Amino acid sequence: MGRRDMADIISTVEFNHTGELLATGDKGGRVVIFQREPESKNAPHSQGEYDVYSTFQSHEPEFDYLKSLEIEEKINKIKWLPQQNAAHSLLSTNDKTIKLWKITERDKRPEGYNLKDEEGKLKDLSTVTSLQVPVLKPMDLMVEVSPRRIFANGHTYHINSISVNSDCETYMSADDLRINLWHLAITDRSFNIVDIKPANMEDLTVFFFLSEFHPHHCNLFVYSSSKGSLRLCDMRAAALCDKHSKLFEEPEFFFFCSFFSEIISSVSDVKFSHSGRYMLTRDYLTVKVWDLNMEARPIETYQVHDFFFFKLCSLYENDCIFDKFEFFFFWSDSVIMTGAYNNFFRMFDRNTKRDVTLEASRESSKPRAVLKPRRVCVGGKRRRDDISVDSLDFTKKILHTAWHPAENIIAIAATNNLYIFQDKVNSDMH
């Protein structure tokens, strides 16, 4: 696959806080924003359909001449800011630079300037003999996207995640060794709140991927390490949060230890529940639910594709074992959704403990189509629609998903395709 083809691959998906807008970022540095259409009297079933609202180039490829490194334009993360006026704002980041974008609408234009003509050129003041009052006249809706601030030079290593604080004034960004705290109004400096870089890089034994603010307490955040542990930090304790308040780590059983243990236990996504009581993590094989009051072990563990446990060697050889899957969950915290291979995605009901495997495909995305459960067969008897684990297409992978903040609508990114399912998408589990 060439570079031009790779540019269309979706690298992040994010609903805004109302669910009206949905943003995607791709490896080509573009951000596409979709807007949900209002319900029409002539077409009552059209509500919930998302149409392209705006497309803009967020990042361009760069070159670091001091380190002789190419900086990709790929969008790593998008985070919406809570809406405070008619405009919308979002943060987007590649490996090095974070940008704040403002999205506004304009459906009226002023006419009747005194000092300018219709083309916008200044008039000869000697020709102006009378004054007129400018008026606003309707025009076709125009969506304008403008860069408001650029947060650069804050990270030596690649930015893995950004998280907006509940105070709506600050956010943090994390690379492999450091976490920085930014103020949304200040671009020329940030505060380093976690630093695990050793004096000698040869002594480096652990690094972290992601950090996330607590949804309600602006002083609390969590970050994950490459060894699967989670550290909860309180910014009230010290300016540099190298000492954690709580350590969440599952004991490693000796019969599970192998060459791949650290790789498959690395946390690829971490989120707080909407209530703030629980943390959820995704590693290569499982999704785990942690209670903030119990550090010893997760209270729930869901196997995403446990049939891969004995295929880790082949997954290592084709580099699939390094894929970073994200997850999302229903606004009531009752259902967890995460991606898998073969354009499959999994859903786990925390109340009934039932799970289902669904497929994102062109056939299933047709209007009023009902998603049919799929089943991966490891061996033995096979049902008619079962698919063998050896027949899974590892090039078709769902790494990025998003759930509407208030309704049963999900967005699934399958390589360069975006699927949106709604209403009865999870009818088998509700």
Side-chain angles (χ1 to χ4, degrees), residues 7 9-13 24-32 56-60 72-79 90-95 97 99 101 159 162 326 400:
I9 295 179
I10 299 173
S11 54
T12 185
V13 182
T24 66
D26 63 25
K27 290 191 174 183
R30 291 182 299 271
V31 173
V32 181
F56 63 96
Q57 188 73 29
S58 175
H59 288 72
E60 300 281 356
E72 292 184 350
E73 65 273 32
K74 172 193 169 188
I75 307 298
N76 292 341
K77 293 290 180 181
I78 289 175
K79 292 293 180 181
L90 63 81
L91 290 168
S92 64
T93 182
N94 66 347
D95 288 340
T97 305
K99 296 183 179 182
W101 297 91
I159 299 173
I162 51 178
E326 297 176 2
H400 313 286

Side-chain angles (χ1 to χ4, degrees), residues 149-397:
R149 293 180 181 89
I150 298 177
F151 306 88
N153 304 319
H155 288 275
T156 305
Y157 307 98
H158 292 177
I159 299 173
N160 297 319
S161 69
I162 51 178
S163 178
V164 180
N165 202 346
S166 59
D167 62 12
C168 300
E169 293 183 355
T170 58
Y171 75 93
M172 65 179 172
S173 56
D175 62 27
D176 291 341
L177 300 177
R178 294 188 178 100
I179 300 176
N180 291 340
L181 180 68
W182 302 80
H183 194 285
L184 286 166
I186 302 172
T187 61
D188 59 349
R189 63 184 181 274
S190 60
F191 299 94
N192 181 226
I193 55 176
V194 177
D195 189 347
I196 62 171
K197 182 181 179 181
N200 185 357
M201 287 295 284
E202 294 180 358
D203 298 331
L204 181 65
T205 59
V206 63
F207 53 94
F208 49 73
F209 292 112
L210 307 160
S211 60
E212 185 80 9
F213 270 119
H214 191 279
H216 309 305
H217 302 295
C218 61
N219 54 289
L220 295 179
F221 70 93
V222 66
Y223 67 87
S224 64
S225 78
S226 59
K227 294 189 176 180
S229 61
L230 300 167
R231 287 169 170 81
L232 185 71
C233 299
D234 190 338
M235 291 192 293
R236 296 174 299 183
L240 190 62
C241 301
D242 283 349
K243 294 182 180 179
H244 52 266
S245 301
K246 290 186 176 183
L247 174 64
F248 300 85
E249 192 170 37
E250 190 173 18
E252 188 174 29
F253 300 101
F254 70 93
F255 48 86
F256 280 143
C257 292
S258 71
F259 170 77
F260 306 107
S261 295
E262 183 171 333
I263 301 176
I264 63 175
S265 64
S266 295
V267 176
S268 59
D269 197 9
V270 57
K271 289 182 177 70
F272 283 97
S273 64
H274 293 88
S275 65
R277 171 69 185 274
Y278 306 101
M279 290 186 304
L280 289 85
T281 61
R282 168 73 204 261
D283 56 38
Y284 190 68
L285 297 178
T286 65
V287 175
K288 297 173 182 175
V289 181
W290 300 79
D291 191 321
L292 290 187
N293 297 325
M294 193 175 87
E295 305 170 55
R297 60 182 56 86
I299 60 172
E300 300 168 22
T301 300
Y302 301 96
Q303 300 293 333
V304 180
H305 32 220
D306 51 351
F307 40 79
F308 284 162
F309 191 79
F310 300 103
K311 296 177 65 68
L312 296 179
C313 286
S314 57
L315 292 167
Y316 178 80
E317 291 174 356
N318 62 15
D319 286 342
C320 285
I321 199 172
F322 300 106
D323 287 333
K324 303 300 179 186
F325 290 93
E326 297 176 2
F327 72 93
F328 232 92
F329 46 95
F330 194 45
W331 55 271
S332 65
D333 296 338
S334 58
V335 180
I336 303 169
M337 171 182 63
T338 189
Y341 294 105
N342 209 76
N343 276 6
F344 289 167
F345 59 99
R346 304 266 283 143
M347 298 185 116
F348 304 92
D349 192 314
R350 296 182 58 205
N351 297 325
T352 64
K353 305 304 178 185
R354 295 174 60 191
D355 64 89
V356 65
T357 301
L358 303 170
E359 182 181 7
S361 64
R362 295 188 182 276
E363 290 73 21
S364 63
S365 62
K366 293 179 180 178
R368 302 185 187 180
V370 178
L371 289 174
K372 296 180 180 179
R374 301 300 304 271
R375 182 172 177 268
V376 178
C377 179
V378 181
K381 294 183 179 180
R382 288 181 58 183
R383 300 175 187 172
R384 177 178 169 183
D385 295 330
D386 286 357
I387 182 170
S388 169
V389 65
D390 296 320
S391 302
L392 295 176
D393 189 344
F394 291 98
T395 63
K396 296 180 179 179
K397 59 190 77 173

Side-chain angles (χ1 to χ4, degrees), residues 24-44:
T24 66
D26 63 25
K27 290 191 174 183
R30 291 182 299 271
V31 173
V32 181
I33 302 175
F34 299 86
Q35 184 183 46
R36 190 181 186 188
E37 292 297 315
E39 184 175 0
S40 171
K41 293 182 180 180
N42 298 327

